[in-house]
Amino acid sequence: MATTDDSFNGMTEHCDHCDLETLHEVSVQIRTESMKEENSQFSREPYRVSECQQCGHRTSQRMNNA
Ligand SMILES: [Zn+2]
Protein backbone atom coordinates (compact mmCIF):
# COMPACT_ATOMS: atom_id res chain seq x y z
CA MET A 1 0.00 0.00 0.00
CA ALA A 2 1.35 3.33 -0.97
CA THR A 3 1.25 5.89 1.75
CA THR A 4 1.03 9.39 0.47
CA ASP A 5 0.91 11.64 3.44
CA ASP A 6 1.75 14.49 1.20
CA SER A 7 -1.64 15.94 0.33
CA PHE A 8 -0.05 18.70 -1.64
CA ASN A 9 0.57 17.42 -5.10
CA GLY A 10 3.22 19.85 -6.19
CA MET A 11 5.00 19.78 -9.47
CA THR A 12 7.33 22.14 -11.19
CA GLU A 13 5.93 23.06 -14.55
CA HIS A 14 6.07 25.85 -17.02
CA CYS A 15 3.50 28.55 -16.46
CA ASP A 16 2.34 30.43 -19.53
CA HIS A 17 1.40 33.39 -17.43
CA CYS A 18 4.65 33.69 -15.51
CA ASP A 19 6.63 32.40 -18.46
CA LEU A 20 8.68 30.53 -15.93
CA GLU A 21 9.07 27.16 -14.36
CA THR A 22 6.98 27.45 -11.24
CA LEU A 23 5.48 25.19 -8.63
CA HIS A 24 2.07 23.93 -9.62
CA GLU A 25 -0.59 22.17 -7.67
CA VAL A 26 -1.88 19.40 -9.84
CA SER A 27 -5.27 17.78 -9.51
CA VAL A 28 -7.65 15.81 -11.67
CA GLN A 29 -11.17 16.94 -12.34
CA ILE A 30 -13.92 15.01 -13.97
CA ARG A 31 -15.99 17.23 -16.17
CA THR A 32 -19.23 16.22 -17.68
CA GLU A 33 -19.61 17.21 -21.27
CA SER A 34 -22.41 16.67 -23.69
CA MET A 35 -20.64 15.55 -26.80
CA LYS A 36 -23.51 14.61 -29.08
CA GLU A 37 -26.95 15.95 -28.56
CA GLU A 38 -28.48 13.10 -30.48
CA ASN A 39 -27.04 10.65 -28.07
CA SER A 40 -28.27 12.57 -25.09
CA GLN A 41 -25.38 10.95 -23.40
CA PHE A 42 -22.89 12.74 -21.32
CA SER A 43 -19.30 11.78 -21.45
CA ARG A 44 -17.17 12.34 -18.47
CA GLU A 45 -13.79 13.61 -19.32
CA PRO A 46 -10.96 13.63 -16.87
CA TYR A 47 -9.06 16.85 -16.93
CA ARG A 48 -5.70 17.46 -15.46
CA VAL A 49 -5.75 20.82 -13.76
CA SER A 50 -2.59 22.50 -12.67
CA GLU A 51 -2.60 25.73 -10.75
CA CYS A 52 0.44 27.92 -10.63
CA GLN A 53 1.37 28.62 -7.04
CA GLN A 54 3.07 31.76 -8.14
CA CYS A 55 0.26 33.62 -9.87
CA GLY A 56 -2.74 31.33 -9.52
CA HIS A 57 -3.07 30.78 -13.25
CA ARG A 58 -4.82 27.54 -14.00
CA THR A 59 -4.37 25.33 -16.98
CA SER A 60 -6.48 22.33 -17.70
CA GLN A 61 -5.98 19.74 -20.32
CA ARG A 62 -7.96 16.72 -21.25
CA MET A 63 -6.21 13.57 -20.25
CA ASN A 64 -7.57 11.07 -22.68
CA ASN A 65 -6.86 12.74 -25.97
CA ALA A 66 -6.48 10.20 -28.70
ZN1 LIG B 1 2.20 31.50 -13.04
Side-chain angles (χ1 to χ4, degrees):
M1 197 189 284
T3 48
T4 47
D5 283 345
D6 206 4
S7 59
F8 180 74
N9 195 11
M11 283 191 71
T12 304
E13 289 185 2
H14 180 82
C15 173
D16 288 338
H17 195 263
C18 297
D19 202 23
L20 282 172
E21 298 279 319
T22 59
L23 186 66
H24 282 71
E25 185 183 341
V26 178
S27 57
V28 175
Q29 275 185 0
I30 305 294
R31 291 189 192 171
T32 309
E33 294 181 339
S34 55
M35 298 293 281
K36 290 170 187 170
E37 289 173 28
E38 288 179 10
N39 240 336
S40 75
Q41 194 170 24
F42 293 92
S43 71
R44 290 180 184 172
E45 301 287 345
Y47 277 82
R48 180 183 181 278
V49 181
S50 61
E51 185 179 308
C52 175
Q53 299 302 291
Q54 205 80 17
C55 70
H57 181 74
R58 294 179 117 200
T59 44
S60 57
Q61 70 185 108
R62 197 182 294 203
M63 290 178 81
N64 56 348
N65 43 354

